[in-house]
Amino acid sequence: MADAFTGEIRVYSFDYAPQDWAFCNGGRLLIDQNKALFSVIKSLYGPADGTLFYRVYGFNG
């Protein structure tokens, strides 16, 4: 896949997330493991505690 921007949302037809990607399912991600993405979206898509986790966009609607 072509280079992606941090925080970019793409639609694709795979049933798995490519390496270094996350599903847009409203799930929680650990800040320590995803610092670059957290610096872009912070708590935009739901409550985050600001120290351990934050949420990604929930595109499962």
Side-chain angles (χ1 to χ4, degrees):
M1 304 202 91
D3 293 337
F5 293 104
T6 300
E8 177 180 358
I9 296 175
R10 288 193 184 180
V11 177
Y12 60 94
S13 60
F14 309 128
D15 61 352
Y16 61 91
Q19 182 177 353
D20 299 325
W21 288 36
F23 284 111
C24 291
N25 60 3
R28 296 182 344 173
L29 298 178
L30 291 172
I31 293 172
D32 285 345
Q33 294 178 353
N34 303 284
K35 290 180 183 182
L37 183 58
F38 178 71
S39 71
V40 173
I41 66 172
K42 304 224 186 284
S43 62
L44 183 64
Y45 300 118
D49 69 1
T51 58
L52 293 176
F53 71 90
Y54 63 101
R55 295 198 177 272
V56 293
Y57 181 73
F59 202 56
N60 52 349

